[in-house]
Amino acid sequence: MIIGIDTGGTFTDFFWFDPETGGTLQVLKEPSTPDEPSQAVLSGLERIGSNFPSIVHGSTVATNAVLERNGADVVLLTTKGFEDVTEIGRQTRSDIYDFNVDRPEPLVSREKRIGIPERVDKEGNVLTPLEIPAETIAHLKELNPEAVAVCYLFGYLNPIHEEQTREKLREAGIRTCWSLSSAVSPEYREYERFSTTVMNAYVTPVMDRYLGALDDELETEHFRVMQSNGGSMEAEKARQEAVQTLLSGPAGGVVAAKTIADQCRIDHVISFDMGGTSTDVSFLPGEILMTRESEIDGLPVQLPMIQINTVGAGGGSIAYRDNAGVLQVGPKSAGADPGPVCYDRGGTDLTVTDANFLCGRLPGEAVFGDAIKLNGAKTEQVAKALSDKFGLATGELAESIISLANARMERAIRVVSVEQGYDPGDATLMPFGGAGPLHGCAIAESLGISKILIPIHAGVFSAFGLLWADVVRDRTRTILRHNRDIDWEAISADLETMQKKVISEIREQGIGKDNITAEWTLDMRYRGQSYELAIPWQDNMIEAFHRRHEERYTFQHDDRPVEVVNLRVRGIGSVDKPKLPRHSLEKREVETAEFSTQEGMINGNNATLPIIPRDDLWPGASGDGPCVIPEQTSTTYVAPEWSFTVDEYGHLHLEKQ
């Protein structure tokens, strides 16, 4: 038996299959405990009352350490004269017309960035041998950092000085957590490599403590952690390479979306994961798109990551009147404690969830089964106090809050679709998370999308995706060769060597050799370009690059030299995946008169909304909106002019009439 556990800002989600009940899907939502995230995990497992031989965990611990700036105390050792690379960054500006832009604070302060005499040239040859002065060693002992990041110029070509630094300082009695750029991110581009290595040093001790404490309490054979690249790794590995887990939870949602899209034979999908504190969106044009140009709180991370765009808009996002007298929503969130006002757990600020409740889009008495009882009177009282400031009725205020949240999430989807050359109207929107299905219809209409798929147990869908995550390891090597100097046989030999190392690392995590596959790609570009395209290994790589460049940018340069920048190998260790139960269809319409109703508001008008529990919908059931479909982990709002059907797996399919 295997369980997926996803820790979010508001709830910690559990999703597992119970073979003793014929493969029945089991789910649980437990309020998160931000001050001690492991407590929610252990409390949930105690409520479930079962021992699981395999656990896959998606965690926000590393991400929160960066966002909240409460990571480890780090010292950066770098080539003398390059101490300020992480602060200078690049000359590019996030907003070219903003003269008062605030750059993110580096994770290591200036006094803890230490230059070391050493130098390697652009070919990897040693120019200046490594020398660590005695006063530097004494200073390091005085600082006594939790972690040390070692980032030398051209360390990705020749790691000898970085490795010697670690060994010499260990011999000198300095015991700490080490992050070498040649191991964390062995690629060119100093700023991005330095930033990624420093971030690994910053979050690894935090993740090590968290996973260590959790591992001590768990009785399980395999404890794996989700990575940002859509694969998982053993917890022991994650305790050493915590930077790999920065998008741990959201990555699980994308993997789940791809799994269900394949199951339903849908090519283009937009995953739309709206939780309590944020919304994560990704475009899947038949595959999971990857990137190596991500940022966390404005700091670059040069590692393979799923292309996910995150905005601070969730069910717990707080609505308020700003200094200019304008209604604003988020990014501040009520989180798990105290939560939205309607949850009656001490919340005093009106949130997006409260707005949905006031519009009749949540079941009238309780959500998440009967885990949370809703307090309508208190919500009305808080809403009236805010609406009076704007001269609005509470219903008008609630719809305005929902519209503002929708606008932010719509822009996030345009970033991953329209700005990447994809038409969102060609895709199916897949809303999930505790709040996603409440906003699906409005988001789809604003983007010209006519089809929506709301998966079974949508509220814990990211935890569901964790169960489908294979064990994945990535390796990279920078070579920087243009087509006149490319030795394809030598490149093939290098890829073979990298593949052997990747396979060895995966086998160490308990995966049999027959279950491991490898993918080779080259990062290629025209000479003079600053960015590369990833081209899968094939017979004629130059021609393949020309074709891909034309597909991506609508043109190619047949007479321009092509460069191979990086070699990449991805190893995939396939794990056993549970299967969703499939049922026979009984096609007939739902009789809404058989269900209860509640009063709500639609487009400024009062409306009566049928409440149709999802557990009462059979495979083959169909009906029309408007209606509310609550379930144990989330609630779906079917807007007017939308219809719904239930497929053989229990997924809801919504279509614009």
Side-chain angles (χ1 to χ4, degrees), residues 448-506:
I449 296 172
S450 60
K451 293 183 179 180
I452 297 173
L453 192 162
I454 298 173
I456 191 168
H457 297 303
V460 294
F461 198 56
S462 289
F464 168 89
L466 301 178
L467 304 186
W468 268 260
D470 291 320
V471 174
V472 175
R473 296 294 290 170
D474 289 293
R475 271 194 172 269
T476 304
R477 184 186 168 204
T478 297
I479 62 170
L480 285 172
R481 296 284 185 270
H482 61 78
N483 55 357
R484 288 192 296 271
D485 298 329
I486 296 173
D487 183 340
W488 295 107
E489 290 186 4
I491 287 178
S492 178
D494 286 343
L495 290 167
E496 285 279 4
T497 301
M498 294 165 66
Q499 177 175 304
K500 289 177 182 178
K501 293 179 180 178
V502 163
I503 290 175
S504 176
E505 290 177 352
I506 295 176

Side-chain angles (χ1 to χ4, degrees), residues 183-184 200 203-204 207 227 233 236-245 303 473 505:
V184 175
N200 187 68
V203 300
T204 290
M207 199 69 169
Q227 301 178 82
M233 65 167 77
E236 189 61 35
K237 203 76 172 174
R239 292 171 66 175
Q240 303 166 21
E241 304 174 11
V243 73
Q244 302 278 1
T245 70
L303 289 171
R473 296 294 290 170
E505 290 177 352

Side-chain angles (χ1 to χ4, degrees), residues 253-503:
V254 177
V255 171
K258 179 64 167 62
T259 300
I260 299 306
D262 290 345
Q263 183 184 70
C264 297
R265 296 183 176 86
I266 299 174
D267 291 332
H268 288 59
V269 166
I270 298 172
S271 70
F272 170 54
D273 179 5
M274 183 180 179
T277 57
S278 63
T279 295
D280 306 299
V281 299
S282 185
F283 193 88
L284 287 73
E287 61 180 333
I288 294 177
L289 298 178
M290 305 294 294
T291 182
R292 299 184 69 86
E293 301 168 15
S294 296
E295 287 188 350
I296 301 294
D297 199 28
L299 301 172
V301 182
Q302 188 172 252
L303 289 171
M305 290 185 169
I306 294 176
Q307 284 191 14
I308 297 173
N309 189 21
T310 301
V311 292
S317 294
I318 293 171
Y320 62 98
R321 186 174 186 266
D322 68 12
N323 293 333
V326 177
L327 177 65
Q328 301 285 354
V329 177
K332 187 178 179 181
S333 172
D337 185 14
V341 176
C342 64
Y343 285 6
D344 202 18
R345 300 178 61 184
T348 57
D349 295 310
L350 206 68
T351 67
V352 174
T353 294
D354 296 315
N356 278 302
F357 178 54
L358 292 168
C359 289
R361 299 175 190 179
L362 287 174
E365 297 180 355
V367 292
F368 308 126
D370 290 325
I372 296 178
K373 303 293 183 180
L374 301 181
N375 188 329
K378 184 177 179 181
T379 309
E380 288 280 357
Q381 179 183 355
V382 173
K384 187 175 187 309
L386 182 60
S387 61
D388 285 348
K389 295 179 179 179
F390 296 100
L392 299 173
T394 56
E396 292 177 296
L397 174 70
E399 287 198 314
S400 298
I401 291 171
I402 293 170
S403 295
L404 284 173
N406 287 344
R408 293 193 69 186
M409 294 182 289
E410 177 196 338
R411 287 196 296 272
I413 292 175
R414 291 187 183 278
V415 169
V416 299
S417 57
V418 177
E419 292 185 15
Q420 299 297 320
Y422 299 107
D423 181 0
D426 295 335
T428 296
L429 184 68
M430 192 181 296
F432 53 91
L438 284 167
H439 297 255
C441 290
I443 296 293
E445 288 181 0
S446 65
L447 293 167
I449 296 172
S450 60
K451 293 183 179 180
I452 297 173
L453 192 162
I454 298 173
I456 191 168
H457 297 303
V460 294
F461 198 56
S462 289
F464 168 89
L466 301 178
L467 304 186
W468 268 260
D470 291 320
V471 174
V472 175
R473 296 294 290 170
D474 289 293
R475 271 194 172 269
T476 304
R477 184 186 168 204
T478 297
I479 62 170
L480 285 172
R481 296 284 185 270
H482 61 78
N483 55 357
R484 288 192 296 271
D485 298 329
I486 296 173
D487 183 340
W488 295 107
E489 290 186 4
I491 287 178
S492 178
D494 286 343
L495 290 167
E496 285 279 4
T497 301
M498 294 165 66
Q499 177 175 304
K500 289 177 182 178
K501 293 179 180 178
V502 163
I503 290 175

Side-chain angles (χ1 to χ4, degrees), residues 522-525 531-535 545 548-549 552-553:
L522 305 186
D523 289 350
M524 303 176 69
R525 66 188 183 190
Y531 297 95
E532 302 82 41
L533 291 173
I535 309 299
F545 169 74
R548 181 70 184 101
H549 195 279
R552 184 69 176 83
Y553 300 111

Side-chain angles (χ1 to χ4, degrees), residues 507-528:
R507 293 196 68 182
E508 289 174 359
Q509 300 187 51
I511 305 297
K513 187 175 182 180
D514 293 341
N515 293 327
I516 301 174
T517 58
E519 299 172 352
W520 297 0
T521 57
L522 305 186
D523 289 350
M524 303 176 69
R525 66 188 183 190
Y526 289 117
R527 195 168 192 181

Side-chain angles (χ1 to χ4, degrees), residues 199-244:
M199 196 172 294
N200 187 68
Y202 190 73
V203 300
T204 290
V206 177
M207 199 69 169
D208 179 50
R209 289 191 292 269
Y210 169 68
L211 292 177
L214 202 55
D215 201 14
D216 289 342
E217 297 291 333
L218 298 175
E219 298 179 4
T220 183
E221 297 174 19
H222 297 288
F223 180 26
R224 291 186 283 131
V225 178
M226 191 69 179
Q227 301 178 82
S228 307
N229 63 9
S232 63
M233 65 167 77
E234 287 292 330
E236 189 61 35
K237 203 76 172 174
R239 292 171 66 175
Q240 303 166 21
E241 304 174 11
V243 73
Q244 302 278 1

